[in-house]
Amino acid sequence: MLISKMATEGGGKEMNEIKTQFTTREGVYKLLTHSEYSRPNRVPFNSQGSNPVKVSFVNVNDQSGNGDRICFNVGRELYFYIYKGVRKAADLSKPIDKRIYKGTQPTCHDFNHLTATAESVSLLVGFSAGQVQLIDPIKKETSKLFNEERLIDKSRVTCVKWVPGSESLFLVSHASGSMYLYNVEHTCGTTAPHYQLLKQGENYSVHTCKSKSTRNPLLKWTVGDGALNEFAFSPDGKFLACVSQDGFLRVFNFDAVELHGTMKSYFGGLLCVCWSPDGKYIVAGGEDDLVTVWSFLDCRVIARGHGHKSWVSVVAFDHYTTSVEESEPMEFSGSDEDFQDQMIHFGRDRANSTQSRLSKRNSTDSRPVSVTYRFGSVGQDTQLCLWDLTEDILFPHLPLSRTRTHTNVMNATSPPAGTTIIANASNNTTNGNNSGANTFTLNSVSTMLPRSNSLPHSAANAAAATTGNHSNKTGGGGITSGIMDSAIATGVSKFATLSLHDRKERHHEKDHKRNHSMGHISSKSSDKLNLLTKTKSDPAKTLGTLLCPRMEDVPLLEPLICKKIAHERLTVLIFLEDCLVTACQEGFICTWGRPGKVLFIVSLQQANNISDFGHDVER
C-alpha cells in the first residue's frame, strides 16, 4: 500500500509536465527545438472549430542532398517547406509555397512519390467542403479541382491517398461513409453521377459510374455506417484497411473488391489505422482509448494496448526500429552480412534488411526469424505512446523464454484492493545480443497500467509494481496466475500468454466520454466463438466474439513509454530515418532526434562553428 501511495503522489506533477526527451531500449530521443515547423509567426493557432493539423513528406531526390519536403495545414492555411530535419534549423521565413483558402479548409493531403522530382511534385489536398485539389507547390500551379461543384459528395474529405504504384489513380474518403476512386486524367461531369452496382457484401457496396464516356469517379465505395475516418493501403498495395465511425475495421482486397476480414472496436468509433512493414498485422485506434492489434492472416484480434486516457488519433509503425533476429541459428540461410544488419538500429540499410527478412516469413513457417515490431500512437490526451509487439504475443504457443525483448503483457482482471504485483524477472542473452529478454511470472495482475515507463526493461530489476485507482472496476472473482509454457489452448479465449480465469459478469457502466478510460459493455452472449454476423451493429452482441473479444480474452500491452509532449491534442505521428515527427492542434510540428543522431549532428555543427571562428581569427 505504501508503494502504491508513493507512486500515486509522485506521478501527478510529472504527468502534467511536457517532456522534451524520453528514453527507450535504444537510447534517448530528444526534442529538437531548432527543427520546429509552424506558421511563420510561430504563434499558437486557435484551433477551436478547425480541422486537425496534418503533415505529409516527400523526397524529391535533390542533388544537394537535402531533398526532403514537408507539407502541413493549419486552419485555412497550407504550407510547403524544405524539411531540414535534424540537420539544420528550420527557416520559416522562406516557404516554397503558401496558400490561404476561403470558405473551406484543408483536411488532408498526400504526395505522389512516384512522380516527384526537384522541379515538380503532385500534391493532392482534400477539403472540408468535399473538394479535392491537385497542385504543384514547386511550380506553384493548380492543375485540377475534383468534385468542384460538390455533385459527387458534399461531406468533408477525411482521407486522400494515391493508389500505390500509380501515377494517376487516387482514392478519397468522406465523412458520408463513401470512398471514390479518381483518375487525374479524367474530368468530373457537370451533373450528378449515376451509378451501377458492381459488387455488394456485408455492410459495403461498390458501384461504377454510368456514363457514355469515362469520367470521375471511376468507383464509389459505400462502407459501413457513419463517417469513414481513415484508410491505409497494405505495403504491397493489394489490400485496403478502412476504419469507420461505426467502430469497424474492414479489410478489402482492393483489386478484387472483396471483403477479407473485419474487427470491431471495444467501444465507439475507430479513428486511425496502419499496417506493419510486412503487411501481416494491422493496428487501429479510436474512441475506446485503446490500440488494437489485428492479425491479417488469422483475421482476429491478437492484442490490445492501454496507455492513452482519451481518443487515439494516430497509429504508425516504426520501420526503422522493427528488429529481426534469428530464433534458430541452424535455420538461418542468409549471409553473415545479413546477420550483421541486425546491429544497425537506424538507416535505410537496416530498414531494407528488415523488409527483406520479414518477407521470408510466411504463415506455414514455424518461425524462421524472430521479429519485434515497434509502433507508436498519439492521442487527444496529448500523449505519445511507444509499443513493442513481441514474440510472446505473435507466437503464444512457444515458450516465453525464447523471446528477445521485453513487453509487459497484462491481463484485464483487477486484483483485490491492496494487492501488490510481484514480477520475477529473468534475463537471457542470445546470439551475442546484449538486449536481455525479460520474462515475468505475475502472481496477480491489474487493469491499471503505468502511464510512464521510460525504460522498457527496468521492470526486470524491480521487485514490485503497484496498483492504482482506475475508472474500470470489476466484480470479484478467482484470480489465478502463471505463464503458459505448453501449447496454446484451443479457442480464441485461450490464446493469451497469461492464464485466463472465470469472472463474474460485468455490469453496465456509464457511457464512454472524452477523456474517460474505456467503458465496459455487458453481453448476454455465452458463446465467445460465435460470429454474430447478422447483429454486428449491436455492441452487446459482438462483445465476446471473434469480432470483439472481451478484455480478459486477449493480452493487454503496456506502453514502453507514455509521455505528455504537447499542450493541445496530437494529430500527427510519422517515423523517419533519423527522427520521428509529431504535431499538435496548435500548429507546431516537432522533430524528435533518434538516439545517436542528435549527438552526431551537434558535433558536426560544433566543428563547423569552430572552423568558422578560425577563419574569422585569421582575417
Side-chain angles (χ1 to χ4, degrees), residues 57-129:
F57 284 98
V58 68
N59 189 288
V60 298
N61 298 317
D62 192 349
Q63 293 182 353
S64 66
N66 189 14
D68 290 329
R69 303 290 183 265
I70 183 174
C71 173
F72 58 91
N73 62 288
V74 181
R76 298 186 297 116
E77 303 168 6
L78 187 73
Y79 292 93
F80 182 69
Y81 281 97
I82 294 176
Y83 180 70
K84 300 178 181 179
V86 302
R87 297 180 293 276
K88 294 182 181 179
D91 184 0
L92 301 183
S93 64
K94 298 178 180 178
I96 299 176
D97 195 13
K98 172 187 175 181
R99 298 175 184 232
I100 301 178
Y101 297 93
K102 296 181 180 180
T104 186
Q105 294 184 4
T107 58
C108 50
H109 31 83
D110 189 43
F111 287 105
N112 192 320
H113 297 267
L114 284 180
T115 60
T117 66
E119 293 77 30
S120 175
V121 294
S122 296
L123 176 67
L124 290 168
V125 184
F127 291 91
S128 57

Coordinates of all heavy atoms in Angstrom, one line a residue, residues 57-129:
F57 N 5.1 14.1 -46.2 CA 6.5 14.3 -46.6 C 6.7 13.7 -48.0 O 6.0 12.8 -48.4 CB 7.4 13.5 -45.6 CG 7.7 14.2 -44.3 CD1 6.9 13.8 -43.2 CD2 8.6 15.2 -44.2 CE1 7.1 14.5 -42.0 CE2 8.8 15.8 -43.0 CZ 8.1 15.5 -41.9
V58 N 7.7 14.2 -48.7 CA 8.1 13.6 -50.0 C 9.6 13.9 -50.1 O 10.1 14.9 -49.6 CB 7.3 14.2 -51.1 CG1 7.7 15.7 -51.3 CG2 7.5 13.4 -52.4
N59 N 10.3 13.0 -50.8 CA 11.7 13.3 -51.2 C 11.8 13.5 -52.7 O 11.4 12.6 -53.4 CB 12.6 12.1 -50.7 CG 14.1 12.4 -50.8 OD1 14.6 12.5 -51.9 ND2 14.8 12.6 -49.7
V60 N 12.4 14.6 -53.1 CA 12.5 15.0 -54.5 C 13.8 14.6 -55.1 O 14.1 15.0 -56.3 CB 12.2 16.5 -54.7 CG1 10.8 16.8 -54.2 CG2 13.2 17.3 -54.0
N61 N 14.7 13.9 -54.4 CA 16.0 13.4 -54.9 C 16.8 14.6 -55.4 O 17.4 14.6 -56.5 CB 15.8 12.4 -56.1 CG 15.1 11.2 -55.6 OD1 15.4 10.7 -54.5 ND2 14.1 10.7 -56.4
D62 N 16.8 15.7 -54.6 CA 17.6 16.9 -54.9 C 19.1 16.5 -54.8 O 19.6 15.8 -53.9 CB 17.3 17.9 -53.8 CG 17.8 19.3 -54.2 OD1 18.6 19.3 -55.2 OD2 17.5 20.3 -53.6
Q63 N 19.9 17.0 -55.8 CA 21.3 16.7 -55.9 C 22.1 17.3 -54.7 O 23.2 16.9 -54.4 CB 21.9 17.3 -57.2 CG 21.3 16.5 -58.4 CD 22.0 17.0 -59.7 OE1 22.7 18.0 -59.7 NE2 21.7 16.3 -60.8
S64 N 21.5 18.3 -54.0 CA 22.2 19.0 -52.9 C 22.2 18.0 -51.7 O 22.9 18.3 -50.7 CB 21.4 20.3 -52.5 OG 20.1 20.0 -52.1
G65 N 21.5 16.9 -51.8 CA 21.4 16.0 -50.6 C 20.4 16.4 -49.6 O 20.2 15.7 -48.6
N66 N 19.6 17.4 -49.8 CA 18.6 17.8 -48.9 C 17.3 17.8 -49.7 O 16.7 18.9 -50.0 CB 18.8 19.2 -48.3 CG 17.9 19.6 -47.2 OD1 17.2 18.7 -46.7 ND2 17.8 20.8 -46.9
G67 N 16.8 16.6 -50.0 CA 15.6 16.5 -50.9 C 14.3 16.4 -50.2 O 13.2 16.2 -50.8
D68 N 14.3 16.4 -48.8 CA 13.0 16.2 -48.1 C 12.2 17.5 -48.1 O 12.7 18.6 -48.0 CB 13.3 15.8 -46.7 CG 13.9 14.4 -46.5 OD1 13.6 13.6 -47.4 OD2 14.7 14.2 -45.6
R69 N 10.9 17.3 -48.4 CA 10.0 18.4 -48.4 C 8.8 18.1 -47.5 O 8.4 16.9 -47.4 CB 9.4 18.7 -49.8 CG 10.5 18.9 -50.8 CD 11.2 20.3 -50.6 NE 12.1 20.6 -51.7 CZ 13.5 20.3 -51.5 NH1 13.9 19.8 -50.4 NH2 14.3 20.7 -52.5
I70 N 8.3 19.1 -46.8 CA 7.2 18.9 -45.9 C 6.0 19.8 -46.2 O 6.2 20.9 -46.6 CB 7.7 19.2 -44.4 CG1 6.5 18.9 -43.4 CG2 8.2 20.6 -44.3 CD1 7.0 19.1 -41.9
C71 N 4.8 19.2 -46.1 CA 3.6 20.0 -46.3 C 2.7 19.8 -45.0 O 2.6 18.7 -44.5 CB 2.8 19.5 -47.5 SG 1.2 20.2 -47.7
F72 N 2.2 20.9 -44.6 CA 1.2 20.8 -43.4 C 0.2 21.9 -43.5 O 0.4 23.0 -44.1 CB 2.0 21.0 -42.1 CG 2.8 22.2 -41.9 CD1 2.2 23.3 -41.3 CD2 4.1 22.3 -42.3 CE1 3.0 24.5 -41.1 CE2 4.9 23.4 -42.1 CZ 4.3 24.6 -41.5
N73 N -1.0 21.6 -43.0 CA -2.1 22.5 -43.0 C -2.4 23.0 -41.5 O -2.3 22.2 -40.6 CB -3.4 21.9 -43.5 CG -3.8 20.7 -42.7 OD1 -3.2 19.6 -42.7 ND2 -4.9 20.8 -42.0
V74 N -2.7 24.3 -41.4 CA -3.1 24.9 -40.1 C -4.2 25.8 -40.4 O -4.1 26.8 -41.1 CB -1.9 25.7 -39.5 CG1 -2.4 26.3 -38.2 CG2 -0.7 24.8 -39.3
G75 N -5.4 25.4 -40.0 CA -6.6 26.2 -40.2 C -6.9 26.3 -41.7 O -7.0 25.3 -42.4
R76 N -7.0 27.5 -42.2 CA -7.3 27.7 -43.7 C -6.0 27.8 -44.5 O -6.0 28.0 -45.7 CB -8.0 29.1 -43.8 CG -9.4 29.1 -43.2 CD -10.1 30.4 -43.5 NE -9.4 31.6 -43.0 CZ -8.9 32.6 -43.7 NH1 -9.0 32.5 -45.1 NH2 -8.3 33.6 -43.2
E77 N -4.8 27.6 -43.8 CA -3.5 27.8 -44.5 C -2.9 26.4 -44.8 O -3.0 25.5 -44.1 CB -2.6 28.6 -43.6 CG -3.2 30.0 -43.3 CD -2.5 30.7 -42.2 OE1 -1.4 30.2 -41.8 OE2 -2.9 31.8 -41.7
L78 N -2.1 26.4 -45.9 CA -1.3 25.3 -46.3 C 0.1 25.7 -46.6 O 0.3 26.7 -47.4 CB -2.0 24.6 -47.6 CG -1.4 23.3 -48.0 CD1 -1.8 22.2 -47.1 CD2 -1.8 23.0 -49.5
Y79 N 1.1 25.0 -46.0 CA 2.5 25.4 -46.2 C 3.3 24.3 -46.8 O 3.0 23.1 -46.6 CB 3.1 25.8 -44.8 CG 2.5 27.0 -44.2 CD1 1.4 27.0 -43.3 CD2 3.0 28.3 -44.5 CE1 0.9 28.1 -42.8 CE2 2.5 29.5 -44.0 CZ 1.4 29.4 -43.1 OH 0.9 30.5 -42.6
F80 N 4.3 24.7 -47.5 CA 5.2 23.7 -48.2 C 6.6 24.3 -48.0 O 7.0 25.3 -48.5 CB 4.9 23.6 -49.7 CG 5.7 22.6 -50.4 CD1 5.6 21.3 -50.2 CD2 6.6 23.0 -51.4 CE1 6.4 20.3 -50.9 CE2 7.4 22.1 -52.1 CZ 7.3 20.8 -51.9
Y81 N 7.5 23.5 -47.3 CA 8.8 23.9 -46.9 C 9.8 22.8 -47.3 O 9.5 21.6 -47.5 CB 8.9 24.1 -45.4 CG 8.4 25.4 -44.8 CD1 7.1 25.4 -44.3 CD2 9.2 26.5 -44.8 CE1 6.6 26.6 -43.7 CE2 8.7 27.7 -44.2 CZ 7.4 27.7 -43.7 OH 6.9 28.9 -43.2
I82 N 11.1 23.3 -47.4 CA 12.2 22.3 -47.4 C 12.3 21.8 -45.9 O 12.4 22.6 -45.0 CB 13.5 23.0 -47.8 CG1 13.5 23.4 -49.3 CG2 14.7 22.0 -47.6 CD1 14.7 24.2 -49.7
Y83 N 12.3 20.5 -45.7 CA 12.4 19.9 -44.4 C 13.9 19.6 -44.1 O 14.5 18.7 -44.8 CB 11.6 18.7 -44.3 CG 11.6 18.1 -42.9 CD1 11.1 18.7 -41.8 CD2 12.3 16.8 -42.7 CE1 11.1 18.1 -40.5 CE2 12.3 16.3 -41.4 CZ 11.8 16.9 -40.4 OH 11.8 16.4 -39.1
K84 N 14.5 20.2 -43.1 CA 15.9 20.0 -42.8 C 16.1 19.0 -41.7 O 17.2 18.7 -41.4 CB 16.5 21.4 -42.5 CG 16.4 22.4 -43.7 CD 17.0 23.7 -43.3 CE 16.9 24.7 -44.5 NZ 17.4 26.0 -44.2
G85 N 15.0 18.6 -41.1 CA 15.1 17.6 -40.1 C 16.1 17.9 -38.9 O 16.1 18.9 -38.4
V86 N 16.9 16.9 -38.6 CA 17.9 17.0 -37.5 C 19.1 17.7 -38.0 O 20.0 18.1 -37.2 CB 18.3 15.6 -37.0 CG1 17.1 14.9 -36.5 CG2 19.0 14.8 -38.0
R87 N 19.2 18.0 -39.3 CA 20.5 18.6 -39.9 C 20.7 20.1 -39.6 O 21.7 20.5 -39.1 CB 20.5 18.3 -41.4 CG 20.6 16.9 -41.7 CD 20.6 16.7 -43.2 NE 19.4 17.1 -43.9 CZ 18.3 16.4 -44.0 NH1 18.3 15.1 -43.5 NH2 17.2 16.8 -44.6
K88 N 19.6 20.9 -39.9 CA 19.7 22.3 -39.7 C 18.4 22.9 -39.1 O 17.4 22.2 -39.1 CB 20.0 23.0 -41.1 CG 21.3 22.6 -41.7 CD 21.5 23.3 -43.0 CE 22.9 23.0 -43.7 NZ 23.0 23.7 -45.0
A89 N 18.5 24.1 -38.7 CA 17.4 24.8 -38.1 C 16.4 25.1 -39.2 O 16.7 25.3 -40.4 CB 17.8 26.0 -37.4
A90 N 15.1 25.0 -38.8 CA 14.0 25.3 -39.8 C 14.0 26.8 -40.1 O 14.1 27.7 -39.2 CB 12.7 24.9 -39.2
D91 N 13.9 27.2 -41.3 CA 13.8 28.6 -41.8 C 12.3 28.8 -42.2 O 12.0 28.6 -43.3 CB 14.8 28.9 -42.9 CG 14.8 30.4 -43.3 OD1 14.0 31.1 -42.7 OD2 15.5 30.7 -44.2
L92 N 11.5 29.4 -41.3 CA 10.1 29.5 -41.6 C 9.8 30.8 -42.4 O 8.7 31.0 -42.8 CB 9.3 29.6 -40.2 CG 9.5 28.4 -39.3 CD1 8.6 28.5 -38.1 CD2 9.1 27.1 -40.1
S93 N 10.8 31.6 -42.6 CA 10.6 32.8 -43.4 C 10.5 32.6 -44.9 O 10.2 33.5 -45.6 CB 11.7 33.9 -43.0 OG 13.0 33.4 -43.5
K94 N 10.9 31.4 -45.3 CA 11.0 31.1 -46.7 C 10.3 29.9 -47.1 O 10.9 28.9 -47.5 CB 12.5 31.0 -47.1 CG 13.3 32.3 -46.9 CD 14.7 32.1 -47.3 CE 15.6 33.3 -47.1 NZ 17.0 33.1 -47.4
P95 N 8.9 29.9 -47.0 CA 8.2 28.7 -47.5 C 8.3 28.6 -49.0 O 8.3 29.7 -49.7 CB 6.8 29.0 -47.1 CG 6.7 30.5 -46.9 CD 8.0 30.9 -46.5
I96 N 8.4 27.5 -49.6 CA 8.4 27.3 -51.0 C 7.0 27.7 -51.6 O 6.9 28.3 -52.6 CB 8.7 25.8 -51.4 CG1 10.1 25.5 -50.9 CG2 8.6 25.6 -52.9 CD1 10.5 24.0 -51.1
D97 N 6.0 27.3 -50.9 CA 4.6 27.7 -51.3 C 3.8 27.9 -50.1 O 3.9 27.2 -49.0 CB 4.1 26.6 -52.2 CG 2.8 27.1 -53.0 OD1 2.6 28.3 -53.0 OD2 2.1 26.3 -53.5
K98 N 2.8 28.8 -50.1 CA 1.9 29.1 -49.0 C 0.6 29.4 -49.7 O 0.5 30.2 -50.6 CB 2.4 30.2 -48.2 CG 1.3 30.7 -47.1 CD 1.7 31.9 -46.4 CE 0.6 32.4 -45.5 NZ 1.0 33.7 -44.7
R99 N -0.5 28.8 -49.2 CA -1.8 29.1 -49.7 C -2.8 29.3 -48.6 O -2.8 28.6 -47.6 CB -2.3 27.9 -50.6 CG -1.4 27.7 -51.8 CD -1.8 26.4 -52.6 NE -0.8 26.3 -53.7 CZ -1.1 26.1 -55.0 NH1 -2.4 26.1 -55.4 NH2 -0.2 25.9 -55.9
I100 N -3.7 30.3 -48.8 CA -4.8 30.5 -47.8 C -6.1 30.4 -48.6 O -6.3 31.0 -49.6 CB -4.6 32.0 -47.3 CG1 -3.3 32.1 -46.6 CG2 -5.7 32.2 -46.3 CD1 -3.0 33.5 -46.0
Y101 N -7.0 29.6 -48.0 CA -8.2 29.2 -48.7 C -9.4 30.0 -48.0 O -9.3 30.2 -46.8 CB -8.5 27.7 -48.7 CG -7.4 27.0 -49.4 CD1 -6.3 26.4 -48.8 CD2 -7.6 26.7 -50.8 CE1 -5.4 25.7 -49.5 CE2 -6.6 26.0 -51.5 CZ -5.5 25.5 -50.9 OH -4.6 24.8 -51.6
K102 N -10.4 30.3 -48.7 CA -11.6 31.0 -48.2 C -12.8 30.1 -48.4 O -13.0 29.4 -49.4 CB -11.8 32.3 -49.0 CG -10.7 33.3 -48.8 CD -11.0 34.6 -49.6 CE -9.9 35.6 -49.4 NZ -10.2 36.9 -50.1
G103 N -13.6 30.0 -47.4 CA -14.8 29.3 -47.4 C -14.7 27.8 -47.2 O -15.7 27.1 -47.0
T104 N -13.5 27.3 -47.1 CA -13.2 25.9 -46.9 C -11.8 25.7 -46.3 O -11.0 26.6 -46.4 CB -13.3 25.0 -48.2 OG1 -13.2 23.6 -47.9 CG2 -12.3 25.4 -49.2
Q105 N -11.6 24.6 -45.7 CA -10.3 24.3 -45.0 C -9.6 23.0 -45.5 O -10.4 22.1 -45.7 CB -10.4 24.3 -43.5 CG -10.8 25.6 -42.8 CD -10.9 25.4 -41.3 OE1 -10.5 24.4 -40.8 NE2 -11.3 26.4 -40.6
P106 N -8.3 23.0 -45.7 CA -7.7 21.7 -46.0 C -7.8 20.8 -44.8 O -7.7 21.2 -43.7 CB -6.2 22.1 -46.2 CG -6.2 23.6 -46.4 CD -7.3 24.1 -45.6
T107 N -8.1 19.5 -45.1 CA -8.3 18.5 -44.1 C -7.2 17.4 -44.2 O -6.9 16.7 -43.1 CB -9.7 17.8 -44.2 OG1 -9.8 17.2 -45.5 CG2 -10.8 18.9 -44.0
C108 N -6.6 17.1 -45.3 CA -5.7 16.1 -45.5 C -5.0 16.3 -46.8 O -5.4 17.0 -47.7 CB -6.4 14.7 -45.5 SG -7.8 14.6 -46.6
H109 N -3.8 15.6 -47.0 CA -3.1 15.8 -48.3 C -2.1 14.6 -48.4 O -1.8 13.9 -47.5 CB -2.3 17.1 -48.3 CG -1.8 17.5 -46.9 ND1 -0.7 17.1 -46.3 CD2 -2.4 18.4 -46.1 CE1 -0.6 17.7 -45.1 NE2 -1.6 18.5 -44.9
D110 N -1.6 14.4 -49.7 CA -0.8 13.3 -49.9 C 0.1 13.5 -51.2 O -0.5 14.0 -52.2 CB -1.6 12.0 -50.1 CG -0.7 10.7 -50.2 OD1 0.3 10.6 -49.4 OD2 -0.9 9.9 -51.1
F111 N 1.4 13.3 -51.1 CA 2.3 13.4 -52.3 C 2.3 12.1 -53.1 O 2.2 11.0 -52.6 CB 3.7 13.7 -51.8 CG 3.9 15.1 -51.3 CD1 4.0 15.3 -49.9 CD2 4.0 16.2 -52.1 CE1 4.2 16.6 -49.4 CE2 4.2 17.5 -51.7 CZ 4.3 17.7 -50.3
N112 N 2.5 12.3 -54.4 CA 2.8 11.2 -55.3 C 4.3 11.0 -55.3 O 5.0 11.8 -56.0 CB 2.2 11.4 -56.7 CG 2.2 10.1 -57.5 OD1 3.2 9.3 -57.5 ND2 1.2 9.9 -58.3
H113 N 4.8 9.9 -54.7 CA 6.2 9.7 -54.6 C 6.8 9.2 -55.9 O 8.0 9.3 -56.1 CB 6.5 8.7 -53.4 CG 6.1 9.2 -52.1 ND1 6.9 9.9 -51.2 CD2 4.9 9.2 -51.4 CE1 6.3 10.3 -50.1 NE2 5.1 9.8 -50.2
L114 N 6.0 8.6 -56.7 CA 6.5 8.1 -58.0 C 6.9 9.2 -58.9 O 7.9 9.0 -59.7 CB 5.4 7.2 -58.7 CG 5.2 5.8 -58.1 CD1 4.1 5.1 -58.9 CD2 6.5 5.0 -58.1
T115 N 6.2 10.3 -59.0 CA 6.4 11.3 -60.0 C 7.2 12.5 -59.4 O 7.5 13.4 -60.2 CB 5.1 11.8 -60.5 OG1 4.3 12.4 -59.4 CG2 4.2 10.7 -61.1
A116 N 7.6 12.5 -58.1 CA 8.2 13.6 -57.5 C 9.6 13.8 -58.1 O 10.4 12.9 -58.2 CB 8.3 13.5 -56.0
T117 N 9.9 15.1 -58.5 CA 11.3 15.5 -58.9 C 11.6 16.8 -58.3 O 10.8 17.4 -57.6 CB 11.4 15.6 -60.4 OG1 10.5 16.7 -60.8 CG2 10.9 14.3 -61.1
A118 N 12.8 17.2 -58.4 CA 13.2 18.5 -57.9 C 12.5 19.7 -58.5 O 12.4 20.8 -58.0 CB 14.7 18.7 -58.0
E119 N 12.0 19.4 -59.7 CA 11.3 20.5 -60.4 C 9.8 20.5 -60.3 O 9.1 21.4 -60.6 CB 11.6 20.5 -61.9 CG 13.1 20.8 -62.2 CD 14.0 19.6 -61.9 OE1 13.6 18.5 -62.0 OE2 15.2 19.9 -61.6
S120 N 9.2 19.3 -59.9 CA 7.8 19.2 -59.9 C 7.3 18.1 -58.9 O 8.0 17.0 -58.8 CB 7.3 18.9 -61.3 OG 5.9 18.6 -61.3
V121 N 6.2 18.4 -58.1 CA 5.6 17.4 -57.3 C 4.1 17.4 -57.5 O 3.6 18.5 -57.7 CB 6.0 17.5 -55.8 CG1 7.5 17.3 -55.6 CG2 5.6 18.9 -55.3
S122 N 3.5 16.3 -57.3 CA 2.0 16.3 -57.4 C 1.4 16.1 -56.0 O 1.7 15.0 -55.3 CB 1.5 15.1 -58.3 OG 2.0 15.4 -59.6
L123 N 0.7 17.1 -55.5 CA 0.1 17.0 -54.2 C -1.4 17.1 -54.2 O -2.0 18.0 -54.8 CB 0.7 18.2 -53.4 CG 0.1 18.4 -51.9 CD1 0.5 17.2 -51.1 CD2 0.6 19.7 -51.3
L124 N -2.0 16.1 -53.6 CA -3.5 16.1 -53.5 C -3.9 16.7 -52.2 O -3.3 16.4 -51.1 CB -4.0 14.7 -53.6 CG -3.9 14.0 -54.9 CD1 -4.3 12.5 -54.8 CD2 -4.9 14.6 -56.0
V125 N -4.9 17.6 -52.2 CA -5.4 18.2 -51.0 C -6.9 18.0 -50.9 O -7.6 18.4 -51.8 CB -5.0 19.7 -50.9 CG1 -5.5 20.3 -49.6 CG2 -3.5 19.9 -51.2
G126 N -7.3 17.4 -49.8 CA -8.8 17.3 -49.5 C -9.3 18.5 -48.7 O -8.5 19.0 -47.9
F127 N -10.6 18.8 -48.8 CA -11.1 20.0 -48.1 C -12.4 19.6 -47.3 O -13.0 18.6 -47.6 CB -11.4 21.1 -49.2 CG -10.2 21.7 -49.8 CD1 -9.6 21.1 -50.9 CD2 -9.6 22.7 -49.2 CE1 -8.5 21.7 -51.5 CE2 -8.4 23.3 -49.7 CZ -7.9 22.7 -50.9
S128 N -12.7 20.5 -46.4 CA -13.8 20.3 -45.5 C -15.2 20.4 -46.2 O -16.1 19.8 -45.7 CB -13.8 21.4 -44.4 OG -13.8 22.7 -45.0
A129 N -15.2 21.0 -47.4 CA -16.5 21.1 -48.2 C -16.6 20.0 -49.2 O -17.6 19.9 -49.9 CB -16.6 22.4 -48.9

